[in-house]
């Protein structure tokens, strides 16, 4: 049982201003796995004040100083790697193999990428007699979710630290264990007091206090579009910068010249990974109408290979994160049935033999139309909607007919896939299930958010641009 009742403020573990413990539930067992404290406005005020005090000195540190610091963080992270992976399994149900090979691994990936970018990043550019200086924006508030908990902490903290910002983190109260270990890593690495602070809490209290705080210069939020709207609304009166990575309903267009077996089978398995709890998951599969019957058979066979079970075993997927999420997913599966979609595999209820834990059957619907609820709403579970199209133009139109625009997927002959990719309204387009790129900007069009994370694009989110006019003598500029 984990007891993480203190917050990390100004380089020390401190008690909350007011005790308000919360049980954290293991989604595989439905048992209490630990406790955290829910913070309040007074805790946020203390953390922001610490970050504000630390900013003048930390913002003036050298590139070499920050490279040394990030290397120290990476070394400490490596020491705690297995513990972090185990915490992720316990808090949000990721299978052990996924926690080790992807969930914890991506934290290391962001550290390596941030260090590589910082080594060569240009913070100054002389244009004529004017110096363009890129300077850290100030105190940053980070509000992160539970589905890829370390990823979404690291992709904010690493670039912010690299450019000289100070920060306050509010991780998800549903999956807070890995954030605690991340904070212990930061402390052990020698991050100066006040540069990084942790306050646990819920969105309506701590999240709102951070996003509205007058001494916070920038808020970066990852989560639902609904919550993102509230963050932006709270931030508006103080005109702070807001970066958001929100929901998705990503299309996966299977072109007529794609290998149907590979494209459909891999699409099903890819979509189910992490129990479907990825905002960029390829949840809408568009298949040529004449190939739909064959695609159904392939999808059914692929779904049946997606084993469900305890995250401590060898199952491909574990539970979803909470009872609330389980109930939401079940309601949407039933909605798909009620609205007339063809149930190819899975369906309502828990898989046989898994009565305890928030397990969902890997579910595939076919003959889905884009006006159905399961085609419009982000389900955030292992539920795939297969949709027929009659022409390539229709496939592109259906793919773009969503309020979201985080990712899109295209399968087909390379040149053909590239042509279609250019027409997709999404922040990332993945061709033929290409491997991820840690340097590729990550973020969305439309209601999937604004701003970009990952790689060098992330640095820009935490920098202001200052023009120093007359910096160089006119003769020197010539």
């Amino acid at each position: 049982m984990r007891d993480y009742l203190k917050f990390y403020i100004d380089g020390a573990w401190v008690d909350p201003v007011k005790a308000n413990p919360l049980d954290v539930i293991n989604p595989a067992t439905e048992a209490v796995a630990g406790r955290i404290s829910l913070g309040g406005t007074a805790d946020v005020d203390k953390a922001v004040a610490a970050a504000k005090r630390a900013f003048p000195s930390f913002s003036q540190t050298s590139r070499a100083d920050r490279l040394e610091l990030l290397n120290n963080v990476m070394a400490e992270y490596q020491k705690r790697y297995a513990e972090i992976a185990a915490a992720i399994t316990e808090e949000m149900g990721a299978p052990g193999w996924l926690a080790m090979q992807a969930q914890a691994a991506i934290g290391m990936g962001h550290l390596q990428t941030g260090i590589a970018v910082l080594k060569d990043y240009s913070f100054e550019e002389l244009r004529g007699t004017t110096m363009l200086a890129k300077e850290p924006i100030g105190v940053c508030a980070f509000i992160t979710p539970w589905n890829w908990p370390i990823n979404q902490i690291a992709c904010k903290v690493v670039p912010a630290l690299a450019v000289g910002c100070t920060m306050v983190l509010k991780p998800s109260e549903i999956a807070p264990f890995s954030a605690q270990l991340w904070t212990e890593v930061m402390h052990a690495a020698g991050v100066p007091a006040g540069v990084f602070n942790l306050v646990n809490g819920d969105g309506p209290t701590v999240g709102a206090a951070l996003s509205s705080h007058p001494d916070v210069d920038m808020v970066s939020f990852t989560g639902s579009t609904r919550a993102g709207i509230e963050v932006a609304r709270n931030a508006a009166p103080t005109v702070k910068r807001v970066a958001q990575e929100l929901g998705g309903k990503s299309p996966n267009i299977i072109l007529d010249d794609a290998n149907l077996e590979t494209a459909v089978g891999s699409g099903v398995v890819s979509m189910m990974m992490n129990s479907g709890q990825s905002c960029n998951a390829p949840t809408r599969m568009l298949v040529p109408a004449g190939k739909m019957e064959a695609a159904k058979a392939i999808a059914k066979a692929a779904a049946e290979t997606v084993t469900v079970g305890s995250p401590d075993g060898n199952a491909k997927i574990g539970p979803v994160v909470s009872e609330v999420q389980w109930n939401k997913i079940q309601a949407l599966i039933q909605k798909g049935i009620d609205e007339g979609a063809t149930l190819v595999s899975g369906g309502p209820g828990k898989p046989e033999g898994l009565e305890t834990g928030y397990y969902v059957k890997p579910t595939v619907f076919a003959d889905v139309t884009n006006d159905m609820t399961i085609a419009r709403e982000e389900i955030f579970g292992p539920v795939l909607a297969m949709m027929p199209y009659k022409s390539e133009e229709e496939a592109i139109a259906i793919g773009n007919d969503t309020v979201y625009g985080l990712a899109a997927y295209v399968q087909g002959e390379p040149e053909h896939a590239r042509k279609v990719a250019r027409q997709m309204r999404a922040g990332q387009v993945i061709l033929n299930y290409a491997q991820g790129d840690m340097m590729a900007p990550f973020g969305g069009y439309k209601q999937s958010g604004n701003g970009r994370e990952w790689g060098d694009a992330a640095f820009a989110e935490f920098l202001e641009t200052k023009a120093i006019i007359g910096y160089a003598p006119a003769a020197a500029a010539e």
Side-chain angles (χ1 to χ4, degrees):
M1 176 105 150
R2 300 171 188 261
D3 261 341
Y4 296 150
L5 298 175
K6 293 181 181 289
F7 302 146
Y8 186 73
I9 298 175
D10 208 13
W13 292 100
V14 300
D15 291 323
V17 172
K18 182 180 178 182
N20 186 13
L22 173 75
D23 289 339
V24 178
I25 305 300
N26 181 326
T29 64
E30 302 183 38
V32 175
R35 295 186 305 160
I36 60 167
S37 295
L38 293 178
T41 303
D43 300 295
V44 170
D45 287 343
K46 287 173 63 178
V48 171
K52 185 178 180 181
R53 284 194 301 273
F55 180 72
S57 59
F58 189 68
S59 64
Q60 296 301 310
T61 54
S62 69
R63 184 195 307 264
D65 289 338
R66 297 194 301 278
L67 279 169
E68 181 181 4
L69 186 59
L70 283 170
N71 275 296
N72 290 344
V73 172
M74 188 164 66
E76 293 297 330
Y77 187 93
Q78 187 65 56
K79 292 177 189 175
R80 308 293 296 275
Y81 189 101
E83 288 179 72
I84 290 167
I88 293 169
T89 292
E90 189 174 7
E91 68 190 355
M92 58 79 61
W97 66 267
L98 181 69
M100 284 291 288
Q101 297 173 30
Q103 290 271 5
I106 205 165
M108 182 63 70
H110 285 300
L111 283 161
Q112 293 168 335
T113 303
I115 289 166
V117 171
L118 179 57
K119 284 178 181 176
D120 299 314
Y121 195 82
S122 176
F123 290 96
E124 293 185 345
E125 177 190 353
L126 189 64
R127 287 189 185 175
T129 62
T130 297
M131 173 63 76
L132 299 183
K134 297 175 183 177
E135 300 179 344
I137 194 169
V139 176
C140 302
F142 299 147
I143 303 170
T144 60
W146 46 260
N147 60 321
W148 286 86
I150 282 292
N151 168 60
Q152 289 147 323
I153 292 170
C155 75
K156 300 179 194 302
V157 171
V158 170
L161 203 65
V163 304
C165 291
T166 60
M167 62 210 75
V168 181
L169 168 67
K170 187 209 88 69
S172 168
E173 70 277 21
I174 296 170
F177 297 158
S178 55
Q180 173 87 12
L181 298 182
W182 173 273
T183 304
E184 292 176 9
V185 163
M186 298 286 277
H187 181 77
V191 174
V195 170
F196 175 87
N197 305 272
L198 168 76
V199 177
N200 283 309
D202 61 20
T205 306
V206 172
L210 282 169
S211 55
S212 62
H213 203 289
D215 289 333
V216 167
D217 300 291
M218 185 263 197
V219 58
S220 179
F221 171 82
T222 301
S224 70
T225 297
R226 175 194 54 77
I229 291 167
E230 287 305 307
V231 167
R233 186 177 285 132
N234 291 331
T238 50
V239 200
K240 57 173 57 69
R241 184 179 298 174
V242 178
Q244 299 176 317
E245 191 262 286
L246 307 175
K249 195 69 180 175
S250 302
N252 184 7
I253 298 178
I254 314 298
L255 295 173
D256 197 54
D257 53 19
N259 180 307
L260 194 68
E261 186 85 30
T262 300
V264 173
S266 297
V268 171
V269 173
S270 173
M271 190 269 133
M272 302 286 178
M273 191 181 75
N274 205 40
S275 299
Q277 298 171 126
S278 299
C279 46
N280 62 341
T283 53
R284 291 184 297 146
M285 181 180 287
L286 281 74
V287 179
K291 296 184 176 181
M292 180 57 84
E293 291 308 311
K296 287 180 188 178
I298 296 166
K300 179 177 174 63
E304 289 170 355
T305 70
V306 180
T307 52
V308 189
S310 168
D312 296 328
N314 295 317
K316 288 188 179 176
I317 65 173
V320 295
V321 77
S322 68
E323 183 178 16
V324 169
Q325 286 298 117
W326 190 88
N327 287 332
K328 175 193 169 190
I329 294 162
Q330 294 303 309
L332 285 164
I333 290 173
Q334 189 59 51
K335 194 82 169 173
I337 294 168
D338 294 344
E339 292 184 357
T342 301
L343 184 63
V344 173
S345 183
K350 293 184 178 180
E352 188 176 348
L354 293 171
E355 286 74 26
T356 300
Y358 307 123
Y359 295 97
V360 176
K361 297 175 186 175
T363 298
V364 175
F365 284 104
D367 306 313
V368 175
T369 58
N370 214 35
D371 58 349
M372 290 182 182
T373 305
I374 58 171
R376 308 303 296 179
E377 292 191 19
E378 187 177 34
I379 300 173
F380 232 59
V383 183
L384 176 67
M386 298 177 69
M387 312 169 72
Y389 68 86
K390 295 176 182 175
S391 69
E392 187 173 302
E393 293 73 22
E394 184 185 29
I396 294 166
I398 292 171
N400 287 331
D401 182 17
T402 170
V403 298
Y404 299 113
L406 187 59
Y409 299 73
V410 184
Q411 320 307 322
E413 289 299 318
E415 194 58 42
H416 190 189
R418 291 185 200 115
K419 176 187 171 188
V420 173
R422 297 261 183 197
Q423 300 173 71
M424 302 311 300
R425 298 277 294 160
Q428 277 193 355
V429 185
I430 299 91
L431 305 184
N432 294 313
Y433 305 116
Q435 286 200 334
D437 178 359
M438 294 297 299
M439 282 294 291
F442 187 78
Y445 287 27
K446 300 184 280 186
Q447 292 185 29
S448 285
N450 48 66
R452 292 295 182 268
E453 297 181 319
W454 296 45
D456 56 346
F459 278 45
E461 297 297 327
F462 301 105
L463 294 168
E464 291 280 21
T465 300
K466 176 187 288 181
I468 308 176
I469 299 168
Y471 186 91
E478 293 169 3

